[in-house]
Amino acid sequence: MNDSKPKADTRSARDQIDGLDQQLVTLLAQRMQAVAAVGAAKSRDPNRPVFDPDREHQVAARWRAQAQEHGLSEYFVGRVLHEVLAHSHRGQEQQRRASGGREEALVGYQGVAGAFSDAAIDKLFATRGVTTIKRGYATFVEVVDALLQSAVDHALLPIENSTCGSVAEVSQLLTTRGIAIVDEEYLAVEHCIAVVPGATLDQVRELRSHPVALLQCQQTVAGLHAVRAVPHFDTAAAASHVAELADEKVAAICSAAAARLSGLEIVRRDVADQADNQTRFVLLARAPEQRVPAQPVKTSLLFEVQNRQGALLECLQGFAAHGCNLTRLESRILPGKPWQYGFVADVQGGTGDAPFDAAIATVSGVTAHLRILGCYPDRAVARAALPVAHGSLPAVAIEPPRPAAANAALPRVSHSKSSGRSLVSVGSVAIGGDGFTLIAGPCAVEDAEQIADAARLVRKCGAQILRGGVFKPRSSPYSFQGLGAAGLELLADAGRSHGMPVVTEALRVEDLDLITAHADMIQIGARNMQNFALLKAVGQRDLPVLLKRGMSATIDELLGAAEYIMAEGNHRVVLCERGIRTFERATRATLDVSAVPVLKERTHLPVIVDPSHAAGRRELVVPLALAAVAAGADGLIVEAHPRPEEARCDKEQALTAALMAQLAAGASAIISSRGGTWPAVR
Ligand code: PEP
Ligand code: MN
């Protein structure tokens, strides 16, 4: 039986313990009150971090000294302090959040302040809108352990370098520990040779740096007279070590930031053997993060193939068959399974994207094991689409062209004193004004499945209006002419299912009743811009008109065509630049970007751009579209297809899901840089 009554020989000691425990708890409560007072002061200054490493080192040193004085284990006292401090941080972070201060993330990395990883954290978190507290660790394993033990919220590790290739240890950690990749960052790695102040390069006999940095600068080092390379655990630590040694014979290869932090002088910059030396970093967390809509993503996967002939080929074909691009493939050893291999693949796209999901379903069927290591923003795509340092676009207000004086020959089309810019409503969508409209879909409606898949694809990337031709003006009478009336119903159904009004082209006056019954907007194609009978007929309809510029038409002729429609009473006209015929043969047509600001000078009507028919090749569509957005277009109309290789019309220019996502990412960055918003994605 358990006797709760204290025995006489332990009674007094236990009484003492109870009293001390009481004091300990009271002291802890008092300590937390003092911590809260400091927290309140810190949260008044949003730039002051909660974590103050210098102060914590002082506290820890005092605890250690007192532990020694009392003959207590430093480990034991250290553990207690760790818990006390962790609780204090959480309390202060809570105060910071409650006071509306900025959010903070604790990020672990390998190395010390000034290391390239340190700079990569700054770069990556600048786009996340979160302030960081960075903690350097000696090894990659320690960083990952800190993450798993919740000592940090995130870990940033280098995964590959453009000169030296994969960082095998990090790759291995990613595949063997339960962590998720949640973001990536690319950093140009510029190595410098840094010496103690006053020293010169010819005095140097020893160059210290991280082994990978030494490898990246192998030829430079070999070219220096009687200089020996000495590995160090980190580039920035090598710099501070060189500063401590204060020996002019010893120099460091490090970043300019590390040289500055250590008070060294740079004697040579950019010493890597390859001019464009970049490192790709991955940001890790304990759990996956939610995907940001409309942002191009990449997924890292680990899969093991069955040990039989052609198994790897079947996996790769699974990705190719569904149009999923692999940006990286690497083989890894499998711990505990000698001479069996796993493969790490980076694939553009992510769960929820139809082609990606279909590829994973196919590949899972032929792999022994498949695990997703993380789905994260594809920063390489964002950089390619937008040739400016991403995340650092300044907010620029582009001065819109000044309206030209009213033109008596074009009374309805040109600006009048009273009219501002026109808004044209198409179903529930308004084109023009401050908004931006994306119209997208296939060149032609081909069948129910194709138009439904296309609608889903474009809707995901922000399209508000679905396009699809059913009466196709083809150069050859033997080419697919469109599904006609049957296609109209399929188009309207697909639009309804995905909440998008639809636009389709009219070739003949006789088809207008049918088109008006099913579509929300009539398109007059380039070939019919001066079909005056057709223009007059659509002018008598109560449906908005998308008027495309004829391929040999001047801007004045386009405005004349719009005047024809408006003169009949239909004022809902949207103008579209789609490329004109010039001597240039490299593109299908020459996109006249200047038409955008010129039209805006001359008319109040909304102006959109079709980069697809100008480009003729899908690779050119995104850059042309971004040029149009930058020039001030009110919207875009683009062709996209769920399976471009099967398209029956304008196959070469059809955007894939990945290119649609690139377009959305690039255009939304430009639009938000001038204070606008890209259409919301559903
Ligand atoms: C189209 O948009 O389907 C089309 C045929 O375009 P354009 O009239 O500009 O050639
Ligand atoms: Mn087309």
Side-chain angles (χ1 to χ4, degrees), residues 476-487:
S476 161
Y478 309 115
S479 303
F480 175 54
Q481 305 282 308
L483 296 182

Side-chain angles (χ1 to χ4, degrees), residues 102-118:
R102 278 194 285 169
E103 225 187 299
E104 273 172 356
L106 264 167
V107 190
Y109 66 99
Q110 189 269 328
V112 296
F116 288 103
S117 300
D118 177 2

Side-chain angles (χ1 to χ4, degrees), residues 467 472 505 523 525-527 548 578 613 639:
R467 66 150 286 154
K472 292 304 303 176
E505 179 169 356
Q523 176 174 327
R527 290 156 194 82
K548 298 187 95 177
R578 47 80 71 205
H613 288 89
E639 289 187 347

Side-chain angles (χ1 to χ4, degrees), residues 304-389:
E304 287 170 39
V305 298
Q306 294 158 359
N307 188 5
R308 60 177 172 76
Q309 197 176 353
L312 177 61
L313 182 64
E314 281 172 33
C315 288
L316 299 183
Q317 276 167 339
F319 290 111
H322 297 283
C324 286
N325 184 35
L326 257 65
T327 56
R328 180 169 181 244
L329 181 67
E330 188 185 279
S331 75
R332 301 253 29 100
I333 54 160
L334 296 170
K337 296 184 186 172
W339 318 127
Q340 291 187 40
Y341 300 89
F343 294 89
V344 174
D346 289 353
V347 185
Q348 284 180 326
T351 307
D353 297 338
F356 179 87
D357 291 341
I360 294 297
T362 308
V363 175
S364 300
V366 285
T367 50
H369 173 82
L370 185 147
R371 183 156 69 89
I372 290 185
L373 303 174
C375 172
Y376 46 96
D378 188 341
R379 305 279 172 194
V381 165
R383 290 186 317 157
L386 198 63
V388 281

Side-chain angles (χ1 to χ4, degrees), residues 636-657:
L636 289 169
I637 176 166
V638 294
E639 289 187 347
H641 198 291
R643 292 166 288 280
E645 69 287 354
E646 293 171 13
R648 298 182 70 185
C649 189
D650 285 352
K651 166 192 208 149
E652 283 77 22
Q653 71 197 35
L655 292 180
T656 57

Side-chain angles (χ1 to χ4, degrees), residues 20 149 200 229 308 312 354 389 432 461 470 557 592 620:
L20 288 168
Q149 289 156 11
T200 57
R308 60 177 172 76
L312 177 61
C461 294
V470 299
E557 285 165 344
D592 181 10
L620 302 180

Side-chain angles (χ1 to χ4, degrees), residues 179-420:
I179 42 182
I181 306 175
V182 295
D183 212 335
E184 67 171 2
E185 190 54 272
Y186 292 79
L187 192 80
V189 175
E190 198 213 344
H191 291 302
C192 304
I193 298 182
V195 297
V196 293
T200 57
L201 188 53
D202 31 287
Q203 289 176 299
V204 173
R205 292 292 167 269
E206 196 175 297
L207 266 175
R208 292 185 174 238
S209 197
H210 190 278
V212 173
L214 293 172
L215 208 60
Q216 290 165 1
C217 306
Q218 223 169 6
Q219 286 168 22
T220 306
V221 178
L224 296 171
H225 178 66
V227 171
R228 167 173 97 88
V230 179
H232 211 87
F233 93 95
D234 175 73
T235 51
S240 62
H241 184 69
V242 166
E244 271 167 33
L245 288 177
D247 178 350
E248 64 274 2
K249 291 197 291 301
V250 186
I253 292 184
C254 60
S255 69
R260 198 173 45 247
L261 278 173
S262 302
L264 297 182
E265 276 174 10
I266 294 172
V267 284
R268 196 183 283 183
R269 282 184 182 269
D270 223 353
V271 291
D273 301 335
Q274 301 294 325
D276 192 9
N277 186 30
Q278 293 187 30
T279 297
R280 177 175 163 246
F281 293 85
V282 283
L283 186 71
L284 309 171
R286 287 181 290 279
E289 281 181 4
Q290 203 145 24
R291 183 173 166 178
V292 180
Q295 184 157 34
V297 292
K298 201 191 264 181
T299 301
S300 293
L301 307 162
L302 171 70
F303 60 87
E304 287 170 39
V305 298
Q306 294 158 359
N307 188 5
R308 60 177 172 76
Q309 197 176 353
L312 177 61
L313 182 64
E314 281 172 33
C315 288
L316 299 183
Q317 276 167 339
F319 290 111
H322 297 283
C324 286
N325 184 35
L326 257 65
T327 56
R328 180 169 181 244
L329 181 67
E330 188 185 279
S331 75
R332 301 253 29 100
I333 54 160
L334 296 170
K337 296 184 186 172
W339 318 127
Q340 291 187 40
Y341 300 89
F343 294 89
V344 174
D346 289 353
V347 185
Q348 284 180 326
T351 307
D353 297 338
F356 179 87
D357 291 341
I360 294 297
T362 308
V363 175
S364 300
V366 285
T367 50
H369 173 82
L370 185 147
R371 183 156 69 89
I372 290 185
L373 303 174
C375 172
Y376 46 96
D378 188 341
R379 305 279 172 194
V381 165
R383 290 186 317 157
L386 198 63
V388 281
H390 64 285
S392 60
L393 271 180
V396 281
I398 300 175
E399 189 78 11
R402 253 170 225 269
N407 177 345
L410 301 167
R412 294 175 175 82
V413 161
S414 66
H415 293 278
S416 71
K417 278 209 187 74
S418 57
S419 72

